[in-house]
Amino acid sequence: MIDKLATITARYDELLDLMAQPDVATDPVRLQRYVREQRELEPLVEAYRAYRDVERQIEDTHFLLEHEADQDVRQLAQDELDHLLEQRAQLEQKIKVLLLPRDPNDSKNAIMELRQGEGGDEAALFAADLFRMYTRYAEQRGWDVEVISATENGPGGYKEIIFEVRGEGAYSRLKYEGGVHRVQRVPATEARGRIHTSTATVAVLPEVEETDIELNPSDYRIDVFRSSGHGGQGVNTTDSAVRIVYKPGTPDEIVVTCQDSRSQLKNKASALAVLRARLFAREEEKRRKELGESRLAQVGAGERAEKIRTYNFPQDRVTDHRIGQNFSNLPGILDGDLDRLIDALIIADNAERLEAVAIR
């Protein structure tokens, strides 16, 4: 492991030298590639350098304990050694996690699809609440959100909404949101004060480059029609909405509709992006099942029994069922305070992957 870390550190230093060269500084493509690689290696290099520094301090403290006669000084040195040994163990664990194979999609933007599940209008309202939660979370992290397509259901609710989240590491964190979310609360329309249970499904897909998924035009049909959704006055007066049907009439059929822009070309590009993302996710799901990889970041269907998370309003509690952990301050979470949930899921995912590596 030490040899591997030394090699990675040497590559990190080499990248810094390369980025300082004039021919690279004037080549945006090469510079961006080097910057991305250097940024990915940086956490591991910093942890390794901190580990080496602690190792040196441990050696010095051992030397002091071997040659120091004063008991007070020896006690201080022993206390310092205990602290350093604990620090080294923590750094070893951190390095092991950083050495785990990275998800190649982590640096990509995320395409999110929210749909109402069981519960009628209340489920549609809950889907809107989740959309606002992810929008607020994106704002807090400095990410951009663009709606690709939205189908409303009643006042303030969504039957379906598809949107893209653009920003560094967006997919790496939002991928843990995929699955069935359940809400337990008293709807505003409930006269008797009874608690209702509703669901909404969340799918999180990495943005896929055109070169990653090849689409044969003969495999899909493009329909254009007059939009009935958002976009302002002009959006309803032209055939700007686009529907793409992939392999129509077959078990592999996928339908993507995009109508949120006034531009037919932009709607077509967005619809193709969603189609590529869905095809990529389908292949990834097959691969994960074959390899038996972690299921913490995978999408379920729409049944209540398949829930990954419950938002319990009467008890002001959010429960993530994958890790069996409860979180308080439900209003804050719905206002975008998601980091503590996602951090807990990342820790659990890393522990699961470390255990799998140890078993092998």
Side-chain angles (χ1 to χ4, degrees):
M1 185 177 77
I2 297 300
D3 291 342
K4 184 175 183 179
L5 290 168
T7 301
I8 291 171
T9 301
R11 174 58 178 169
Y12 178 84
D13 292 335
E14 180 187 13
L15 288 167
L16 292 178
D17 292 338
L18 285 169
M19 289 187 292
Q21 294 179 6
D23 60 324
V24 174
T26 55
D27 185 344
V29 176
R30 287 174 65 195
L31 181 61
Q32 186 177 13
R33 187 170 71 247
Y34 291 152
V35 167
R36 186 182 298 114
E37 185 181 355
Q38 180 260 339
R39 192 178 297 159
E40 290 175 354
L41 296 178
E42 192 168 46
L44 183 55
V45 171
E46 289 180 350
Y48 175 53
R49 286 174 174 168
Y51 176 83
R52 288 192 305 177
D53 184 55
V54 169
E55 283 276 80
R56 284 191 292 267
Q57 293 181 60
I58 288 174
E59 290 179 11
D60 293 343
T61 308
H62 273 302
F63 181 84
L64 180 61
L65 281 168
E66 291 172 2
H67 297 87
E68 179 59 54
D70 187 288
Q71 289 301 314
D72 291 337
V73 175
R74 287 177 60 83
Q75 184 59 53
L76 289 172
Q78 185 61 54
D79 292 343
E80 178 65 15
L81 180 61
D82 293 341
H83 172 71
L84 289 169
L85 291 173
E86 182 181 349
Q87 193 174 353
R88 183 177 66 179
Q90 292 173 351
L91 285 168
E92 285 176 349
Q93 185 69 10
K94 183 177 182 179
I95 288 170
K96 286 179 182 178
V97 170
L98 290 169
L99 282 172
L100 287 171
R102 289 185 71 255
D103 184 339
N105 300 312
D106 277 352
S107 61
K108 295 182 178 180
N109 299 327
I111 294 174
M112 302 190 70
E113 302 182 352
L114 275 58
R115 295 180 179 85
Q116 73 173 74
E118 297 183 4
D121 290 344
E122 170 63 7
L125 290 171
F126 181 47
D129 290 339
L130 292 178
F131 172 62
R132 181 181 180 278
M133 177 179 75
Y134 295 127
T135 301
R136 294 285 295 119
Y137 181 61
E139 290 173 357
Q140 293 169 21
R141 297 193 71 89
W143 299 336
D144 295 322
V145 174
E146 180 178 351
V147 174
I148 295 173
S149 178
T151 304
E152 295 182 353
N153 184 5
Y158 287 113
K159 180 179 180 181
E160 174 188 270
I161 182 165
I162 303 173
F163 56 99
E164 183 177 9
V165 183
R166 293 191 293 267
E168 185 67 32
Y171 181 75
S172 69
R173 299 189 67 79
L174 291 171
K175 65 182 178 182
Y176 294 98
E177 294 301 299
V180 178
H181 297 238
R182 182 177 72 168
V183 63
Q184 294 175 324
R185 64 184 176 188
V186 178
T189 56
E190 172 56 57
R192 300 182 181 179
R194 293 177 299 181
I195 296 173
H196 285 226
T197 299
S198 305
T199 64
T201 62
V202 178
V204 187
L205 315 173
E207 183 184 44
V208 180
E209 300 291 336
E210 291 185 32
T211 53
D212 293 335
I213 292 288
E214 289 188 18
L215 287 175
N216 189 335
S218 63
D219 288 339
Y220 60 87
R221 184 186 77 236
I222 297 179
D223 303 325
V224 294
F225 58 97
R226 191 157 297 179
S227 173
S228 59
H230 301 282
Q233 288 182 322
V235 78
N236 298 321
T237 60
T238 60
D239 292 336
S240 60
V242 172
R243 181 189 299 110
I244 297 179
V245 184
Y246 176 77
K247 293 191 174 180
T250 72
D252 292 329
E253 179 177 293
I254 298 176
V255 180
V256 180
T257 301
C258 185
Q259 58 181 0
D260 229 58
S261 171
R262 297 186 184 187
S263 166
Q264 185 186 116
L265 287 175
K266 186 174 181 180
N267 283 331
K268 178 183 175 182
S270 296
L272 285 171
V274 173
L275 176 58
R276 281 192 294 269
R278 289 187 186 174
L279 289 171
F280 182 82
R282 178 188 287 178
E283 293 303 312
E284 280 288 284
E285 178 69 10
K286 290 180 184 177
R287 185 185 65 82
R288 286 180 186 272
K289 286 181 178 178
E290 290 171 358
L291 297 177
E293 292 185 355
S294 168
R295 297 195 58 82
L296 275 174
Q298 295 181 29
V299 182
E303 303 297 330
R304 287 192 179 103
E306 296 178 349
K307 61 187 179 296
I308 64 163
R309 189 179 293 159
T310 295
Y311 303 74
N312 188 310
F313 275 74
Q315 299 180 18
D316 186 32
R317 183 184 69 217
V318 175
T319 302
D320 197 290
H321 304 286
R322 293 164 293 181
I323 54 177
Q325 194 166 338
N326 295 322
F327 301 86
S328 58
N329 189 16
L330 191 157
I333 290 171
L334 287 178
D335 198 39
D337 181 21
L338 275 176
D339 272 333
R340 52 199 175 109
L341 280 75
I342 294 174
D343 287 342
L345 286 162
I346 290 173
I347 290 170
D349 191 19
N350 288 336
E352 185 178 313
R353 293 197 294 148
L354 282 172
E355 184 179 353
V357 171
I359 291 172
R360 294 195 194 105

